[in-house]
Amino acid sequence: MTDLAGELRGAVRGEVAFDAASRALVTMDASNYRRVPAGVVVPRDADDVAAVLEVCRARGVPVVARGGGTSIAGQATGTGVVLDFTRHMNALLELDPGSRTAVVQPGLVLDRLQEAAAPHGLRFGPDPSTHSRCTLGGMIGNNACGSHSVAWGTTADSVRELSVLTARGQRLRLGRDWAGAPDGLRELAEAELARLRTGFPDLPRRISGYALDALLPENGADVARSFCGSEGTLGILTEAVVELVEAPAARALAVLGYVDESAAAEAAAGLLPYRPLTVEGMAADLVRSPAGLPRGGAWLFVETGGRSPAQARARAEEIVRAADVVDALVVTDPAVQRALWRIREDASGTATRMPDGTEAWPGWEDCAVPPARLGAYLRDFRALLSAHGLRGTPYGHFGDGCVHVRIDFDLLTPDGVGRFRRFSEELADLVVAHGGSLSGEHGDGQARAELLPRMYGAGTVRLFERAKGVWDPDDLLNPGMLVRPAPLDGNLRFSVLPDRPVDVAFGYPADGGDFRAAVRRCVGVAKCRTATASGPAVMCPSFRATGEEEHSTRGRARLLHEMLAGEVVTDGWRSTEVRDALDLCLSCKGCRTDCPVGVDMATYKAEFLHHHYAGRRRPAAHHSMGRLPQWLRLVALTRTAPLLNALATVRPLPQLAKRLGGIAPEREIPRLARRTFTGWWRKRRPAEAPRCSGGGSGELVVLWPDTFTEHLSPSVGRAAVRVLEAAGLVVALPPTLTTRGAAVGDGRSGAATALLTARRARVCCGLTYVSTGQLDRARTVLRRTLDLMEPVLRAGVPVVVLEPSCAAALRTDLPELLHDDPRAARLSSAVLTFAETLERHAPDWTPPAVGRPVAGQTHCHQHAVLGDAPDRRLREAAGLTGELSGGCCGLAGNFGFEKGHFEVSRTCAEEQLLPSVRQAPQETVILADGFSCRTQLEQLAGTRGHHLAEILANALDRQERGGD
């Protein structure tokens, strides 16, 4: 392989990568299969592709074209050279509104084409749920469809011309009337006209096999169309001319509720005469929360278009009247429609877990039958599942008779794999019996190609083999797919994982304590590869900053999978490939919520670092920032904060300190508070406590003195005390509580006063230790914290945590790290955010009217772990208007301070946070509950952000002065 890599480097201008990390990243797509490539080439142009084909042909090395890597049948994996088109050959070369066409390169992501076409009132018709990361080349290779196919058809319906390179170096321009046909193709087709006319089912979603019937004279002898869906086995696409359609000026979405998915399937075909844009179906099992959906056990999502919102709505209401439904909802607001569509689009991920947490897998992801037979097919499908003791929840393109489903196959044991094969064979027969296609969207790949004789018969399959021979006589392109296929139960990606569980520190409760199962969570749908964060989403900021697969959640999960496999990544926990990929993970936890299958890369990173540095020297940043609570507590004990602040202004001392501490030289060292929050609390006179403004319950709450509030932003703590007491709550600080006039937890006594003992508070959430993988130290700190919090836990007092990252650590890291200590779960459940505390324990309190717009960013941990609904309601009650941006600020605790991370940190901030602040009107309040977010704003934008508690406390002060 070294010689091959060298020859390729001499032949192409693009990148050639044969290292372990590059190969490991493309061993899998979104299927059950895994094939290890020799290397990866990133071509810059068609000449590079031709050079790769020449070198590989001479050496007999297979070539596989790859786009976004979201194929579900295994066709985007290969054992030879993988061509990655996403980095360079990803341009929109031309868009002509007059002819409604676009010229695209294969690596162009669909959403980029849609964004360019939208100002002209145009769009590309097909739109798979992976539209934010799938490429046009991949869509053409798989003949992708999407939710709007009932209106605009498949990708093949939208292709006009294709520029293709054959394995032997021919450059062809494919089109109609035999344009670009390789020698021998026309003769082959004209000799088989009878078979081409009778051997192909007439279905809107017939994707299986080669589309040779497109070569019939009555079909225009369309060579370009016949190439669509060939899965990279006939030629390599280098450019395409595609047709665009007129986008409706307005849309409405009717969500129709039914008893179950069979009832929804029976109804779908009857809605087609109303000419909807979509008829999508899904069952309640796939919905994390039914909020916003009408009543029912399954739903049809039916979209209508019109020249105006009123016309679109009228068409949707007509469909509702015609449908026999349990309940229905018609939505015209675009934001609400997007939120509802996200529920449907996320099904490809949520379907990978059964309601009880059992894993479910693709393999029979997208069979299609005539729409009128869908209800009957689903009943038979359910019966077949039951007969094999399997479970799965169908969803998908009901208007086209196309069903997606993930099934709880056991692909880890020989018996389970055997049942997978038997079920696959019987289901193929069932699909054919209903007049269907084994693939209705994602192609055959390795998952179904072996069974094509059951659908087409042996004669037509031999014709497919002959067609492959015309295009690719050397079987160089993606061998093992479509013709002469690999067995459907071979190359399973799970077979290489260890037989026994891996010894780990975290509990992984959602995965049965098994790190292998946690890594298996990533099924490759690649929602983490989106170029922009939509709405409040956070995942994956490092990928958006670099555009590199290894910096996506999926890429890191793939490397961890290969680390456990030990074939490509051979150093186990000591792997430098995994370490380097995780180095730019911000530990924002965005994937925990935004990933449809709940991959938690922040936890995996902490686990890896724990093992990687066991018994080894750690980076300086792990000592300087990972042990930040220790250093700051020492500063407080020695009262040296003023001295350190002064020294930080004397050059070259800050530069020396940053170099020794592994801190980015571009960063400023934050100033320490002259007096800690608990220092202020201990000296606070009872007379300083504000009078209760009424509406509170007098309940006791414990305010957590997190490291950032304690040593860096004590004003946040003081403000929180001001607001909580104004709301009628009694505030105490841990670790040990005594009371006057009431027992601890007797929250109904408004006269109760909680006092902190003279002992200095030492509770800590362990966040900085966890994020740097110092898990033994984190456990020690957290066990001590639980000891100190015993009185609070016994009393059942709510614990208010002001710093979102600390609250998230206590909610999730604590119980998952100390899964053997029942106190951890008790403290986790006691933790409340500032807004949650006011909403639950002072529900009748009315916040002061601020009446100003806000800008800023929802903290990534707040979004991922805590949720921000109470914060939104509190802001609305206070008259704080406007939405906060999504994404991540880029500082993310210690990440943005570590040497080598500054540029990525700044790029993340420039994505949403900084533009939203710069564009805000002058009177806007900049809201940032996290210390990291406030620091990033101050250092990169010169803007001071405020915690919500500070904003409300200032408003209370103004209100009180006004009353005076």
Side-chain angles (χ1 to χ4, degrees):
M1 290 303 104
T2 301
D3 291 343
L4 173 62
E7 192 171 350
L8 287 170
R9 289 191 180 99
V12 306
R13 295 186 300 114
E15 294 85 349
V16 176
F18 276 56
D19 59 283
S22 298
R23 295 165 61 219
L25 289 168
V26 296
T27 56
M28 292 171 277
D29 48 17
S31 71
N32 298 327
Y33 301 100
R34 171 183 178 271
R35 295 193 294 174
V36 179
V40 180
V41 176
V42 186
R44 290 190 172 273
D45 51 28
D47 289 341
D48 269 2
V49 176
V52 170
L53 290 171
E54 183 178 357
V55 170
C56 290
R57 182 173 64 254
R59 290 177 169 269
V61 175
V63 177
V64 177
R66 182 179 172 103
T70 56
S71 297
I72 296 181
Q75 61 267 63
T77 66
T79 57
V81 170
V82 173
L83 294 175
D84 178 3
F85 289 98
T86 60
R87 195 177 307 172
H88 300 310
M89 295 182 68
N90 57 9
L92 171 59
L93 301 176
E94 183 183 338
L95 194 151
D96 184 352
S99 64
R100 294 184 181 175
T101 60
V103 183
V104 302
Q105 290 183 315
L108 178 67
V109 170
L110 174 58
D111 271 3
R112 306 290 82 76
L113 174 59
Q114 304 291 38
E115 290 163 1
H120 305 286
L122 301 173
R123 56 164 290 144
F124 190 68
D127 57 345
S129 61
T130 55
H131 55 83
S132 62
R133 59 270 191 197
C134 71
T135 65
L136 270 295
M139 292 179 68
I140 291 168
N142 291 343
N143 195 8
C145 307
S147 61
H148 288 88
S149 59
V150 294
W152 297 315
T154 71
T155 298
D157 295 312
S158 298
V159 164
R160 184 174 291 184
E161 293 180 348
L162 300 176
S163 295
V164 169
L165 273 164
T166 70
R168 290 192 171 179
Q170 281 186 291
R171 299 190 185 220
L172 305 177
R173 185 79 165 178
L174 313 184
R176 294 173 65 87
D177 297 324
W178 297 109
D183 293 340
L185 184 63
R186 182 169 185 170
E187 292 77 8
L188 176 67
E190 290 180 344
E192 296 283 352
L193 292 178
R195 186 179 297 278
L196 297 184
R197 289 189 171 112
T198 61
F200 291 79
D202 184 16
L203 288 168
R205 287 296 194 97
R206 191 245 308 152
I207 306 298
S208 281
Y210 291 132
L212 298 181
D213 57 325
L215 301 176
L216 286 166
E218 57 266 35
N219 292 334
D222 194 336
V223 182
R225 187 182 182 95
S226 74
F227 187 87
C228 293
S230 58
E231 304 180 20
T233 62
L234 302 183
I236 303 296
L237 177 72
T238 59
E239 189 175 294
V241 179
V242 297
E243 297 178 351
L244 306 176
V245 297
E246 185 176 354
R251 301 185 193 205
L253 177 63
V255 185
L256 312 179
Y258 294 88
V259 174
D260 55 29
E261 90 272 353
S262 291
E266 293 279 6
L271 303 180
L272 298 179
Y274 296 91
R275 302 183 67 183
L277 300 176
T278 63
V279 183
E280 298 288 290
M282 68 183 302
D285 288 350
L286 299 175
V287 180
R288 288 175 175 172
S289 170
L293 291 169
R295 291 178 296 112
W299 298 274
L300 289 180
F301 289 62
V302 185
E303 188 178 70
T304 57
R307 292 186 298 274
S308 67
Q311 185 182 58
R313 184 180 187 90
R315 290 176 175 171
E317 290 173 344
E318 181 184 19
I319 288 174
V320 171
R321 288 192 297 270
D324 183 14
V325 296
V326 172
D327 194 9
L329 172 71
V330 174
V331 177
T332 55
D333 181 85
V336 179
Q337 289 185 55
R338 284 193 297 272
L340 290 169
W341 274 122
R342 276 196 293 271
I343 296 174
R344 162 61 187 88
E345 291 173 355
D346 283 351
S348 60
T350 54
T352 63
R353 283 294 188 277
M354 304 304 294
D356 63 359
T358 304
E359 295 169 302
W361 304 107
W364 286 95
E365 174 71 14
D366 63 326
C367 300
V369 299
R373 297 187 63 93
L374 183 60
Y377 165 72
L378 284 180
R379 285 191 294 272
D380 290 345
F381 171 76
R382 286 286 193 185
L384 185 62
L385 281 175
S386 298
H388 284 269
L390 296 169
R391 295 175 298 163
T393 302
Y395 67 99
H397 315 293
F398 283 15
D400 273 335
C402 180
V403 173
H404 297 323
V405 64
R406 302 290 175 106
I407 300 173
D408 65 338
F409 296 119
D410 169 15
L411 299 178
L412 305 176
T413 67
D415 287 345
V417 173
R419 180 166 57 168
F420 167 63
R421 167 170 282 280
R422 292 189 299 274
F423 175 84
S424 299
E425 292 170 345
E426 292 181 33
L427 181 55
D429 291 338
L430 177 63
V431 171
V432 173
H434 280 274
S437 173
L438 303 186
S439 172
E441 179 163 25
H442 295 139
D444 300 303
Q446 186 173 345
R448 288 176 288 269
E450 183 189 349
L451 302 173
L452 285 176
R454 296 171 183 255
M455 175 180 168
Y456 283 109
T460 300
V461 169
R462 283 195 295 271
L463 179 60
F464 291 161
E465 293 176 357
R466 291 163 60 199
K468 164 76 167 173
V470 167
W471 285 89
D472 179 22
D474 306 306
D475 201 17
L476 189 74
L477 302 179
N478 214 0
M481 300 294 136
L482 279 177
V483 299
R484 296 180 291 278
L488 62 87
D489 52 357
N491 300 323
L492 293 173
R493 65 186 177 99
F494 318 103
S495 62
V496 296
L497 294 177
D499 294 332
R500 297 179 180 179
V502 180
D503 184 26
V504 287
F506 283 97
Y508 303 100
D511 297 294
D514 191 343
F515 186 68
R516 299 170 303 170
V519 171
R520 287 198 304 267
R521 274 185 175 271
C522 179
V523 294
V525 296
K527 191 177 179 183
C528 50
R529 278 182 55 95
T530 54
T532 57
S534 59
V538 173
M539 179 183 74
C540 178
S542 53
F543 173 78
R544 292 195 299 276
T546 70
E548 300 287 347
E549 173 77 12
E550 68 180 308
H551 299 140
S552 69
T553 305
R554 181 180 72 172
R556 294 174 179 127
R558 292 295 185 249
L559 286 166
L560 287 168
H561 186 285
E562 294 302 327
M563 179 194 80
L564 294 178
E567 180 182 350
V568 181
V569 177
T570 58
D571 295 336
W573 294 110
R574 299 300 198 200
S575 165
T576 55
E577 296 90 357
V578 179
R579 181 201 64 196
D580 292 347
L582 288 170
D583 182 55
L584 291 187
C585 171
L586 286 83
S587 297
C588 66
K589 289 187 177 287
C591 49
R592 187 181 178 107
T593 293
D594 296 338
C595 172
V597 294
V599 169
D600 185 359
M601 194 53 63
T603 297
Y604 304 172
K605 176 182 179 179
E607 184 77 62
F608 175 82
L609 294 177
H610 167 69
H611 294 277
H612 185 76
Y613 288 109
R616 305 171 79 188
R617 182 180 178 181
R618 284 180 169 271
H622 287 197
H623 298 290
S624 63
M625 290 176 283
R627 293 177 174 254
L628 186 65
Q630 290 178 270
W631 308 132
L632 293 181
R633 191 175 297 120
L634 179 63
V635 170
L637 286 170
T638 58
R639 300 182 181 182
T640 54
L643 174 62
L644 292 176
N645 288 337
L647 292 176
T649 64
V650 179
R651 294 188 178 187
L653 294 181
Q655 288 79 2
L656 177 61
K658 285 185 279 189
R659 185 161 55 250
L660 293 175
I663 298 172
E666 301 91 341
R667 287 292 177 185
E668 298 175 24
I669 298 176
R671 293 180 64 82
L672 304 175
R674 294 177 64 87
R675 183 167 65 165
T676 64
F677 168 61
T678 54
W680 166 82
W681 174 267
R682 285 196 302 274
K683 294 184 179 181
R684 182 171 178 251
R685 297 188 303 273
E688 293 178 358
R691 294 188 302 274
C692 174
S693 62
S697 61
E699 288 189 44
L700 178 67
V701 297
V702 170
L703 185 61
W704 183 273
D706 65 85
T707 295
F708 305 100
T709 300
E710 171 76 352
H711 300 283
L712 297 163
S713 296
S715 60
V716 172
R718 297 195 297 268
V721 172
R722 169 80 166 98
V723 175
L724 294 172
E725 290 184 339
L729 299 174
V730 178
V731 181
L733 266 62
T736 306
L737 300 174
T738 60
T739 62
R740 291 178 186 165
V744 172
D746 182 11
R748 295 301 166 189
S749 172
T753 304
L755 302 175
L756 179 71
T757 63
R759 186 179 180 186
R760 182 176 296 276
R762 295 172 58 208
V763 294
C764 179
C765 69
L767 171 68
T768 60
Y769 305 106
V770 170
S771 62
T772 53
Q774 300 180 73
L775 300 186
D776 290 335
R777 178 62 183 168
R779 276 193 287 242
T780 299
V781 167
L782 289 171
R783 290 197 191 279
R784 184 188 67 207
T785 293
L786 291 175
D787 293 340
L788 294 170
M789 290 293 287
E790 281 278 12
V792 177
L793 298 178
R794 286 197 301 268
V797 180
V799 179
V800 188
V801 185
L802 302 174
E803 173 63 40
S805 56
C806 295
L810 291 169
R811 282 265 184 97
T812 59
D813 296 329
L814 167 64
E816 292 175 15
L817 197 55
L818 297 185
H819 46 91
D820 57 343
D821 191 330
R823 300 175 303 170
R826 288 164 57 194
L827 178 53
S828 171
S829 62
V831 168
L832 298 175
T833 66
F834 175 69
E836 285 175 332
T837 303
L838 291 170
E839 184 169 86
R840 295 186 192 181
H841 298 282
D844 298 326
W845 179 67
T846 301
V850 181
R852 293 173 66 183
V854 294
Q857 193 168 57
T858 301
H859 194 285
C860 52
H861 288 179
Q862 178 105 34
H863 165 79
V865 176
L866 309 167
D868 68 340
D871 297 74
R872 289 172 176 270
R873 290 190 285 269
L874 180 56
R875 294 200 303 266
E876 182 179 357
L880 290 165
T881 60
E883 292 292 326
L884 302 184
S885 68
C888 177
C889 77
L891 197 60
N894 59 292
F895 174 86
F897 272 95
E898 287 189 25
K899 184 178 180 181
H901 292 174
F902 180 76
E903 287 303 324
V904 169
S905 176
R906 180 165 59 184
T907 300
C908 292
E910 288 287 359
E911 183 190 15
Q912 291 197 57
L913 175 60
L914 298 187
S916 71
V917 169
R918 294 188 189 111
Q919 296 163 12
Q922 188 173 358
E923 70 277 9
T924 300
V925 174
I926 306 302
L927 187 61
D929 281 356
F931 175 76
S932 292
C933 302
R934 295 193 296 274
T935 302
Q936 189 79 311
L937 283 166
E938 183 177 346
Q939 295 199 358
L940 298 186
T943 300
R944 181 161 186 260
H946 300 270
H947 194 286
L948 182 56
E950 293 179 294
I951 296 170
L952 296 182
N954 290 336
L956 283 171
D957 291 341
R958 289 194 301 272
Q959 188 179 78
E960 194 170 272
R961 287 195 300 271
D964 293 341

